[in-house]
Amino acid sequence: MTRPALILICLTLAGCGAAREGDYPALVPMETLLDEAPLTPSPAPAIEARAAALNARAEALRHETP
């Protein structure tokens, strides 16, 4: 039982090494994340067209099935 515990401890400590090569990445400001700017161009028309096409296909399949 001691050997598996020792191996587990060694593997855990090996994963905690400071092997980072560069600096810590720059963080995005909170104001940018909370900004409610609309997407440009708006994907809504394409999504609505796709939904209408799928609904039409589903309706056609319902009429085909006895």
Side-chain angles (χ1 to χ4, degrees), residues 27-48:
L27 300 177
V28 177
M30 246 352 222
E31 292 78 26
T32 306
L33 294 175
L34 298 176
D35 189 22
E36 302 253 347
L39 297 174
T40 53
S42 175
I47 292 172
E48 289 172 359

Side-chain angles (χ1 to χ4, degrees), residues 3 22-23 27 32-33 36 39-40 44 46 50 52 54 59 61 64 66:
R3 180 173 269 171
D23 293 334
L27 300 177
T32 306
L33 294 175
E36 302 253 347
L39 297 174
T40 53
R50 177 74 176 144
L54 288 173
E59 191 62 34
L61 288 173
E64 266 183 32

